[in-house]
């Protein structure tokens, strides 16, 4: 009902050629649109990542299926060429760059693969991987395809300029393309936009400023990269209390946020818990829990050979050195929202050992033994529980089609709403670390922490 309402309300085409209506077998949304300016016809084909069912509960995409992007791109480019005869074809993809060869990784991010294998595109705008791209590649016919990704947080705007030459027969051919990423701060906001939505904005500001409870103590998300920390443990506490589960998994969903002691307002919960997730309880064995954690810390921590090594796993250049961005900050190899820790168990992470051999679980937090063969009730968000990040599939080894069978509880409301209600009910919540896990050798970690923090935030 939501999608159908939006399609009617939007004054622009809502594109999605590979989102299929399961009743009709046809695209649920409009596959493409034609933009015509000064006689030049531009076809814009919209495609989204087929990974949606691996992150979201089915009730949010019921009645839809998601075709692989490359397959849909090839089909619709041929349709567009035959029926529209455009002068240029633009791909508008909710899909990141990805890999050149699908055997090397998931096609959740397929823009690069499509540019290399599907003839017809002149430019593909990418998204979803939160990274900046300006890349030119050749398609199978030897024609150039421009790949443009504006990155994250609406900081940049991807702009492409085509130069066309008009032939004597009045057809057009592209003679030049120019692309750049423009800082959003250099573009003046529209006064008309703000006037139009002034009432709505004021209502949102009023709602977001509502106080819902008191936080006792400061919380920093970046502390959670180095051990048990209040920013993550407060979510663990809520998940365990809501579900009476044995164990909880969650990650720091914000990279660098600080919540100060004092009144927690509605807006603060968007910094504490950035993403829309429901809460699941799943049944996992002790062995699956161990393997899940091995996978998580493998995404997160470097193997150290001594106290002078990096603790965190940084993105590296061709020489194996940490790679800095244009602002001098060093980026982590994987997004921090995949750095899941656990509550309910006591464990250590030995970074002197290779990924997959680091975790030692000594017991449950209540003092009872942890057993590999036992089945535990695990609180986990819907993104992870539906397969997002690969922790349950690649880590714990559960086939994706079997994940649904493991879910024994789903919350009625999203987790952020539950947190707001939790603070309203408690009125006062202390920011405390559970201290149920630590990284060893601790002397190495202590030395590496300050060095790595300087890399992240110079």
């Amino acid at each position: 009902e939501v999608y159908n309402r939006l399609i009617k309300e939007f004054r622009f085409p809502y594109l999605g050629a590979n989102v299929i209506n399961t009743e009709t077998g046809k695209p649920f949304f409009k596959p493409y649109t034609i933009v015509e300016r000064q006689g030049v016809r531009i076809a814009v084909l919209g495609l989204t990542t087929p990974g949606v069912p691996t992150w979201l509960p089915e009730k949010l995409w019921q009645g839809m299926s998601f075709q692989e992007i490359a397959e849909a791109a090839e089909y619709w480019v041929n349709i567009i060429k035959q029926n529209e005869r455009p002068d240029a074809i633009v791909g508008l993809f909710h899909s990141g760059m990805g890999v050149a060869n699908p055997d090397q990784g998931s096609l959740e991010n397929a823009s690069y693969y499509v540019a290399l294998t599907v003839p017809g595109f002149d430019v593909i705008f990418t998204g979803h991987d939160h990274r900046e791209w300006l890349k030119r590649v050749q398609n199978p016919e030897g024609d150039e395809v421009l790949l443009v990704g504006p990155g994250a947080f609406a900081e940049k705007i991807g702009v492409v300029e085509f130069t066309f030459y008009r032939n004597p027969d009045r057809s057009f051919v592209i003679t030049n393309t120019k692309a750049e990423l423009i800082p959003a701060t250099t573009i003046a906001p529209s006064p008309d936009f703000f006037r139009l939505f002034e009432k709505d904005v004021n209502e949102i500001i009023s709602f977001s400023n509502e106080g819902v409870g008191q936080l006792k103590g400061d919380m920093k998300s970046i502390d959670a990269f180095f051990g048990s920390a209040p920013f993550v443990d407060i979510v663990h506490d809520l998940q365990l209390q809501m579900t009476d589960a044995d164990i909880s998994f969650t990650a720091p969903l914000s990279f660098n946020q600080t919540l100060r002691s004092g009144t927690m307002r509605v807006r603060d919960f968007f910094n504490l818990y950035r993403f829309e997730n429901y809460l699941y309880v799943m049944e996992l064995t002790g062995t699956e829990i161990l393997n899940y954690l091995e996978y998580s810390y493998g995404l997160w921590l470097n193997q150290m050979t001594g106290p002078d090594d990096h603790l965190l796993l940084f993105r590296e250049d061709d020489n194996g050195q940490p790679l800095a961005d244009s602002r001098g900050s060093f980026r982590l190899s994987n997004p921090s929202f995949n750095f899941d820790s656990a509550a309910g168990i006591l464990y250590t992470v030995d970074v002197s050992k290779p990924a997959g051999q680091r975790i030692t679980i000594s017991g449950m937090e209540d003092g009872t033994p942890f057993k590999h063969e036992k089945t535990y009730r695990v609180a986990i968000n819907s993104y992870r529980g539906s397969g997002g990040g690969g922790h349950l599939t690649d880590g714990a080894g559960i086939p994706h089609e079997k994940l649904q069978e493991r879910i024994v509880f789903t919350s009625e409301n999203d987790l952020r709403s539950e947190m707001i209600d939790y603070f309203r009910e408690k009125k006062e919540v202390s920011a405390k670390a559970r201290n149920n896990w630590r990284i060893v050798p601790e002397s190495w970690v202590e030395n590496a922490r300050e060095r790595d923090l300087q890399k992240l935030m110079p």
Side-chain angles (χ1 to χ4, degrees), residues 2 17 25 33 61 137 145 163 173 280 323 325 363 377 380 404-405 407-408 411 430 436 440:
V2 174
T33 193
W61 47 271
V137 302
V145 186
T163 301
V173 60
Y280 288 168
L323 187 64
D325 63 15
R377 286 167 48 86
I380 192 170
Q404 193 68 31
E405 300 172 11
I407 301 170
V408 296
S411 64
S430 294
N436 64 300
V440 296

Side-chain angles (χ1 to χ4, degrees), residues 120-140:
F121 288 102
D122 296 288
V123 61
I124 294 174
F125 288 96
T126 76
H128 185 63
D129 60 3
H130 303 183
R131 297 186 182 182
E132 296 180 10
W133 302 104
L134 283 177
K135 190 176 183 70
R136 296 175 187 267
V137 302
Q138 282 192 335
N139 70 17

Side-chain angles (χ1 to χ4, degrees), residues 335-356:
S336 60
F337 59 72
N338 279 332
F339 298 173
D340 278 27
S341 63
I345 55 175
L346 303 170
Y347 64 100
T348 57
V349 186
D350 188 343
V351 289
S352 70
K353 297 179 179 178

Side-chain angles (χ1 to χ4, degrees), residues 43 51 83 167 220 227 266 295 298 361 445:
N83 297 344
N167 292 309
K220 296 181 179 181
V266 168
Y295 178 86
I361 302 175
V445 173

Side-chain angles (χ1 to χ4, degrees), residues 155-446:
E155 291 178 349
K156 302 281 181 67
I157 299 170
V159 178
V160 175
E161 182 180 290
F162 290 140
T163 301
F164 288 92
Y165 173 78
R166 187 166 67 181
N167 292 309
D169 62 1
R170 303 189 70 79
S171 64
F172 292 89
V173 60
I174 297 173
T175 59
N176 188 45
T177 57
K178 175 187 173 184
E180 58 184 329
L181 301 180
I182 300 175
T185 52
T186 64
I187 299 173
S190 163
D192 291 339
F193 180 92
F194 282 96
R195 276 195 295 270
L196 180 63
F197 292 103
E198 183 177 11
K199 178 175 178 292
D200 306 272
V201 169
N202 288 336
E203 287 180 0
I204 291 169
I205 291 172
S206 177
F207 167 72
S208 66
N209 283 335
E210 179 190 348
V212 297
Q214 293 294 313
L215 177 68
K216 293 299 181 183
D218 296 344
M219 302 192 302
K220 296 181 179 181
S221 60
I222 209 155
D223 288 343
F225 296 0
F226 303 97
S228 178
F231 195 93
V232 164
D233 287 351
I234 203 167
V235 179
H236 280 310
D237 293 344
L238 172 69
Q239 292 187 164
L240 290 170
Q241 289 187 40
M242 273 185 63
T243 60
D244 199 29
D246 305 304
I247 293 168
S248 167
F249 288 139
T250 195
L253 301 190
S254 294
F255 170 70
N256 183 25
Q257 287 289 342
T258 298
L259 297 177
R260 300 292 182 188
S261 182
T263 301
M264 283 285 284
R265 305 184 186 279
V266 168
R267 65 171 183 260
D268 294 319
F269 291 89
F270 286 80
N271 293 325
L272 174 62
Y273 208 87
R274 287 176 55 203
F275 301 111
E276 276 61 45
N277 276 301
Y278 290 86
L279 180 60
Y280 288 168
V281 173
M282 301 184 73
E283 292 184 336
L284 303 178
T285 67
T287 298
E288 289 168 341
I289 289 164
L290 174 65
N291 291 337
Y292 180 111
L293 288 173
E294 291 283 12
Y295 178 86
S296 177
Y297 286 93
L299 298 175
W300 177 353
L301 300 176
N302 182 42
Q303 183 181 2
M304 299 180 71
T305 59
D308 295 330
D309 287 344
H310 291 293
L311 172 65
L312 301 177
L313 196 60
F314 288 103
R315 201 178 303 169
E316 296 181 342
D317 60 20
D318 294 338
N319 298 317
Q321 296 301 310
L323 187 64
D325 63 15
S326 58
R327 292 171 294 188
S329 298
F330 289 80
R331 296 295 181 92
L332 297 170
S333 185
N334 296 291
S336 60
F337 59 72
N338 279 332
F339 298 173
D340 278 27
S341 63
I345 55 175
L346 303 170
Y347 64 100
T348 57
V349 186
D350 188 343
V351 289
S352 70
K353 297 179 179 178
Q357 303 174 31
R358 297 172 170 173
I359 310 297
T360 300
I361 302 175
S362 57
M364 305 296 292
E365 282 191 68
D366 64 7
T368 58
F370 176 84
K371 298 180 179 179
H372 289 257
E373 69 279 4
K374 183 176 177 179
T375 297
Y376 293 93
R377 286 167 48 86
V378 180
I380 192 170
N381 71 35
S382 55
Y383 170 77
R384 193 72 78 231
S386 300
H391 296 60
L392 288 169
T393 50
D394 299 335
I398 304 170
H400 188 269
E401 63 273 14
K402 298 291 185 181
L403 292 179
Q404 193 68 31
E405 300 172 11
R406 302 292 192 95
I407 301 170
V408 296
F409 167 82
T410 304
S411 64
E412 279 192 33
N413 300 313
D414 69 277
L415 261 167
R416 191 187 305 117
S417 298
E418 297 286 358
M419 289 177 192
I420 291 171
D421 290 343
Y422 177 73
F423 267 76
R424 283 195 175 112
E425 179 186 343
K426 297 288 185 182
K427 295 185 174 57
E428 185 177 296
V429 177
S430 294
K432 293 189 299 187
R434 298 178 73 95
N435 295 319
N436 64 300
W437 68 275
R438 58 195 173 92
I439 306 171
V440 296
E442 289 180 296
S443 61
W444 293 9
V445 173
E446 187 177 344

